[in-house]
Amino acid sequence: MGREGTLVRGVSRRAKGREIGVSLGTPPKLRRLQEALYTKAKQEPAYRFYLLYDKVYRTDILAHAYALSKQHGGAPGVDGVTFADIEAAGVEQWLAAVQEALRTETYRPHPVRRVLIPKPGGIGERPLGIPVIRDRVVQTAALLILQPIFEGDLDPPTAYGYRPGRTALEAVQAVHRALCAGHTEVIDADVSSYFDSIPHAALLKSLARRICDRRMLRLLKGWLKAPVAERGPGGGWRFRGGKRATRGTPQGGVVSPLLANWGKEPAGGSPRRSLSTSRRAASRRCTRRSVGTTPTWWTTSGPWASAGASLSTSRSLYPNPRPGLACGSLFEVL
């Protein structure tokens, strides 16, 4: 089956149960579509995909997207609607209404409910955006179509974040193999507030280099421009952002991780110039040395931040080298 099977069908043992639709079983018709999209993207780097939007509201894809969304669970959005409410009213009727709204292009995203959750280690809080269930289902349907295209562009050996069939544990294992091979320094870089600072114009331009379906691009833009709703002192909703917003995608939205990865592609580059490729190109500013036997861990976030390391903007994806760091072999960004 080859590369297509590993990425799209999720037959990798390590990825089993974590890829989109694996635990529920991807419908054969959808699986064939995903394989075709992945193969086309892999074989033709300059190809611009069209006629994608109509796949989002296809009956089988919407039904599978709903099943995935229900499996993932989660709190309700600003409308307060839960899966139990939808089940009580009738799932088929609910999906038919969503399908009709998409087909007639009257679908509009709801505001995203914003909550703050503690960051790991108890240092600060992370804003989390919770879309309503309807938007989560439609985003999942779009993700089922767009993910194979992105994976076709992305160089597979590196980059583990927010990718189907890849885990943080595998990234750690890659670091361990590098240490065993004689590399003695690891740079731990964190992108500061990346989800909140993704520039919309650059992201949409990057998407348009691979997608020429205007309805699909308009759908993605609608999610980027969805207002953010927060509870006010009196218990009512306070809205901000919306059409006037120029940056950010909700951290918690189903499609946000894909957009975040896609947005890291350098502006003006070719579609084949993928996330991991662009990271390696930028990493020429930083090096690691194979000196001695004790690994040195440089970090750019948290209380152990190394001197000279800064990731203050959405496009600053890499740390500045520590003063005096000797030049050596390039490092891989995972």
Side-chain angles (χ1 to χ4, degrees), residues 25 31 45 53 55 65 74 88-89 104 107 143 154-155 188-189 192 218 227 271 277 297:
R31 186 170 62 242
Y53 180 82
K55 310 298 188 298
T104 58
Y107 165 83
L143 185 65
L154 195 57
D155 189 22
D188 178 16
S192 177
R218 187 162 57 244
T277 304
W297 191 282

Side-chain angles (χ1 to χ4, degrees), residues 317-331:
L317 302 180
Y318 313 98
N320 297 318
R322 181 183 173 94
L325 183 62
C327 293
S329 60
L330 298 181
F331 68 82

Side-chain angles (χ1 to χ4, degrees), residues 94-325:
W94 186 86
L95 284 174
V98 174
Q99 183 182 47
E100 182 64 12
L102 289 168
R103 187 187 66 81
T104 58
E105 300 181 42
T106 57
Y107 165 83
R108 298 293 183 272
H110 280 68
V112 176
R113 181 165 73 93
R114 184 178 185 179
V115 297
L116 297 176
I117 59 174
K119 288 185 176 181
I123 303 174
E125 293 180 312
R126 175 180 291 114
L128 185 67
I130 304 177
V132 300
I133 291 177
R134 186 187 70 152
D135 292 341
R136 295 205 294 255
V137 169
V138 178
Q139 287 186 26
T140 301
L143 185 65
L144 290 168
I145 303 302
L146 295 175
Q147 186 82 65
I149 298 173
F150 176 77
E151 288 295 326
D153 281 343
L154 195 57
D155 189 22
T158 59
Y160 292 83
Y162 302 120
R163 295 186 61 194
R166 288 177 177 263
T167 67
L169 177 59
E170 290 177 304
V172 172
Q173 291 170 342
V175 172
H176 181 261
R177 288 193 295 270
L179 293 174
C180 293
H183 299 292
T184 58
E185 293 184 356
V186 179
I187 298 180
D188 178 16
D190 185 26
V191 184
S192 177
S193 302
Y194 180 65
F195 280 88
D196 292 335
S197 55
I198 298 174
H200 292 173
L203 172 59
L204 291 170
K205 182 178 179 180
S206 178
L207 289 165
R209 287 200 300 272
R210 208 51 163 134
I211 300 169
C212 62
D213 187 330
R214 292 185 178 182
R215 294 188 296 173
M216 176 63 85
L217 292 172
R218 187 162 57 244
L219 183 67
L220 296 170
K221 183 178 180 179
W223 291 324
L224 290 174
K225 300 294 184 180
V228 175
E230 296 179 279
R231 287 290 184 186
W237 292 110
R238 294 187 304 183
F239 300 94
R240 62 181 183 82
K243 293 182 179 180
R244 293 175 296 179
T246 60
R247 293 178 176 271
T249 181
Q251 187 170 357
V254 177
V255 79
S256 293
L258 174 67
L259 296 178
N261 272 342
W262 211 317
K264 291 174 186 174
E265 183 184 336
S270 65
R272 181 62 70 193
R273 212 175 142 72
S274 63
L275 170 62
S276 57
T277 304
S278 65
R279 283 179 164 185
R280 285 197 300 272
S283 71
R284 289 185 174 87
R285 297 194 290 124
C286 305
T287 57
R288 64 183 176 188
R289 297 173 294 179
S290 297
V291 180
T293 58
T294 303
T296 302
W297 191 282
W298 301 111
T299 179
T300 66
S301 61
W304 306 279
S306 302
S310 174
L311 293 172
S312 58
T313 69
S314 63
R315 304 305 291 178
S316 299
L317 302 180
Y318 313 98
N320 297 318
R322 181 183 173 94
L325 183 62

Side-chain angles (χ1 to χ4, degrees), residues 49-61:
F49 288 84
Y50 61 98
L51 295 180
L52 297 175
Y53 180 82
D54 63 314
K55 310 298 188 298
V56 174
Y57 62 82
R58 221 172 68 180
T59 302
D60 60 327
I61 293 179

